[in-house]
Amino acid sequence: MSIGVRIEHQINKLKLDVEFNIPEPGITAVFGPSGSGKTTLVNIIAGLIKPDRGHIQISDHVVFEHSRKINLPARERRIGYVFQDARLFPHKTVRDNLYYGARRNRHKLPQEEQQAILDMLGITPLMGRRPNNLSGGEKQRVALGRALLSNPDILLLDEPLSALDHARKEEILPYFEWLRDHRKIPILYVTHAIDEVARLADHMVVMDQGKTLASGSVFSMLGRTDLAPLAGRFDAGTVLHAKIASRDPKAEVSFLDCAGQRIVVPYLGRPENKNVRLHIRARDVMVARTPPADISANNVIPVTITNIHDEPGDTIDLGLCFGHDADASLLAQTSGRPILHARITKWSSSRLRLGLHQKVYAVIKSVTVNGPLRDQ
């Protein structure tokens, strides 16, 4: 299942000029500052807005082609859409909201799959209630259930967490993770929150002022220092694969193995040998020429400087390959050895006399590693 988009559209003063391809299922984060055209983009894909020209293909089906005058109506595109504000019918019960689209769908899910979705979302006890008696998190779960029960070929999520407080966001995020891992369909997830991107996304499309600046794997995109001045709120960092090596519930820490290096994080409550993914912001990585002693930071990782990006302003970005061996830089390019990104002041770089291929140490506080970490 894939999606290909190439569209141009003028809306007020914003000219949308977007092109990207997603070759496989998973969550693709559409990221950018407010006003960059993200919501207009997903409304066009959904068939709610007709673009001036372009092409939209979902799996093997062309749903819009300007040159061939193809423009399938929204109801025929097999798209599930979850809006920022849920948009439930206030006069209908949860049950009626859930099955509103499914009843009109010729491609119905088997009954056991429908029940599995309701059980996963925990909304069976809510069936007889009306939306005004639901919390914000419950409304979004019902909206997500409504979209899934329609058996879509693609799911569009337009900033589904932006109206929720932190506690409700943490309530909803695991459902999106389950969705990514168990429903093998493309998911476009519109957001301006980089933490959500790092936790949920497999792919990423960065937009600004109506244009796609870049797209690709979230692992490579979050390390793109060149996107920071272009996309406004973009915050470079690193997404790493790791495995839980051991844990100490009494000390409330978990010990991860990441490419042979130990990383200490707050206690995860997950079993040993569990694969996880973690996000470390470039601004949270310190650099030392020698291993520091008697400090509170638990993570001191030997690294080699493989890249120095001199930004306009007073900061500098470093690419730091795990390891001190002679081939560290080469291994980073050929074997996928992890690269950390660190953002430090130019004065610090000058004071430490940092240079390419220099062997240094990355220092990371446990509490700055973004969590909860997601399962692989």
Side-chain angles (χ1 to χ4, degrees):
M1 193 76 70
S2 60
I3 177 172
V5 174
R6 186 186 72 253
I7 54 175
E8 296 180 22
H9 185 65
Q10 186 76 41
I11 180 166
N12 299 324
K13 295 182 179 180
L14 179 70
K15 181 177 181 180
L16 206 62
D17 187 357
V18 176
E19 182 173 1
F20 62 88
N21 290 280
I22 303 165
E24 57 191 33
I27 292 182
T28 295
V30 181
F31 176 85
S34 297
S36 58
K38 304 186 299 297
T39 295
T40 301
L41 168 64
V42 293
N43 282 338
I44 287 173
I45 294 171
L48 303 180
I49 296 175
K50 180 183 177 182
D52 298 331
R53 60 188 59 85
H55 171 94
I56 302 171
Q57 182 169 329
I58 300 171
S59 190
D60 297 327
H61 308 292
V62 175
V63 299
F64 178 80
E65 178 72 70
H66 175 259
S67 61
R68 295 161 56 192
K69 301 187 184 309
I70 297 173
N71 183 29
L72 266 64
R75 64 181 178 276
E76 296 181 17
R77 295 194 182 193
R78 294 196 63 187
I79 286 174
Y81 201 147
V82 178
F83 298 89
Q84 177 180 335
D85 55 358
R87 299 198 187 181
L88 303 177
F89 297 110
H91 61 289
K92 293 181 180 291
T93 64
V94 166
R95 182 186 300 278
D96 289 339
N97 271 283
L98 283 167
Y99 288 101
Y100 180 81
R103 292 194 182 102
R104 293 160 175 78
N105 190 355
R106 293 173 295 175
H107 308 278
K108 295 186 185 299
L109 283 172
Q111 186 61 42
E112 59 271 19
E113 288 192 41
Q114 295 183 32
Q115 190 58 50
I117 290 171
L118 299 180
D119 292 342
M120 180 275 294
L121 292 169
I123 51 182
T124 301
L126 308 177
M127 287 298 202
R129 291 162 62 178
R130 296 186 187 275
N132 62 346
N133 293 320
L134 302 177
S135 69
E138 289 170 337
K139 289 177 182 178
Q140 285 300 74
R141 279 190 281 151
V142 173
L144 181 56
R146 179 175 62 185
L148 292 174
L149 289 174
S150 68
N151 193 18
D153 283 340
I154 181 175
L155 192 62
L156 307 178
L157 308 175
D158 186 13
E159 304 218 36
L161 303 181
S162 62
L164 304 180
D165 59 28
H166 178 74
R168 299 290 79 75
K169 287 181 181 180
E170 290 302 315
E171 171 192 326
I172 295 295
L173 278 167
Y175 299 112
F176 292 149
E177 291 175 320
W178 180 92
L179 186 62
R180 176 201 60 226
D181 298 335
H182 294 89
R183 304 291 295 186
K184 300 303 181 183
I185 61 174
I187 302 167
L188 289 188
Y189 186 98
V190 173
T191 183
H192 59 261
I194 204 68
D195 289 349
E196 294 172 21
V197 175
R199 177 167 174 176
L200 295 173
D202 303 291
H203 309 280
M204 186 176 183
V205 176
V206 178
M207 293 184 61
D208 190 36
Q209 298 181 30
K211 293 180 171 55
T212 46
L213 304 180
S215 63
S217 162
V218 71
F219 294 94
S220 60
M221 293 290 291
L222 284 179
R224 291 275 301 269
T225 56
D226 60 311
L227 294 175
L230 297 174
R233 300 177 66 176
F234 190 87
D235 191 2
T238 308
V239 179
L240 298 172
H241 293 290
K243 178 179 288 187
I244 299 176
S246 60
R247 52 189 186 153
D248 187 342
K250 291 184 179 179
E252 297 185 344
V253 293
S254 291
F255 302 96
L256 310 183
D257 177 15
C258 182
Q261 297 294 330
R262 188 183 79 165
I263 296 181
V264 184
V265 299
Y267 184 64
L268 298 178
R270 302 182 187 184
E272 294 179 9
N273 295 318
K274 188 75 171 178
N275 291 322
V276 294
R277 189 170 106 172
L278 57 150
H279 177 223
I280 302 172
R281 291 187 181 90
R283 66 189 185 197
D284 292 328
V285 179
M286 294 180 286
V287 177
R289 292 192 59 175
T290 58
D294 300 324
I295 61 171
S296 62
N298 292 311
N299 302 299
V300 180
I301 303 170
V303 293
T304 301
I305 299 175
T306 59
N307 183 58
I308 299 177
H309 182 74
D310 193 350
E311 292 187 337
D314 57 2
T315 62
I316 196 166
D317 282 279
L318 306 175
L320 308 172
C321 175
F322 277 35
H324 273 178
D325 49 287
D327 296 327
S329 298
L330 178 62
L331 287 170
Q333 300 173 15
T334 60
S335 68
R337 183 178 287 192
I339 296 284
L340 276 174
H341 296 273
R343 178 168 295 156
I344 62 175
T345 63
K346 291 180 179 178
W347 187 75
S348 292
S349 177
S350 175
R351 179 171 55 84
L352 296 174
R353 300 187 298 279
L354 299 181
L356 279 175
H357 312 304
Q358 187 175 354
K359 296 173 175 55
V360 293
Y361 295 86
V363 182
I364 308 165
K365 294 171 62 177
S366 296
V367 295
T368 63
V369 178
N370 275 5
L373 289 73
R374 60 167 263 193
D375 295 348
Q376 289 284 84

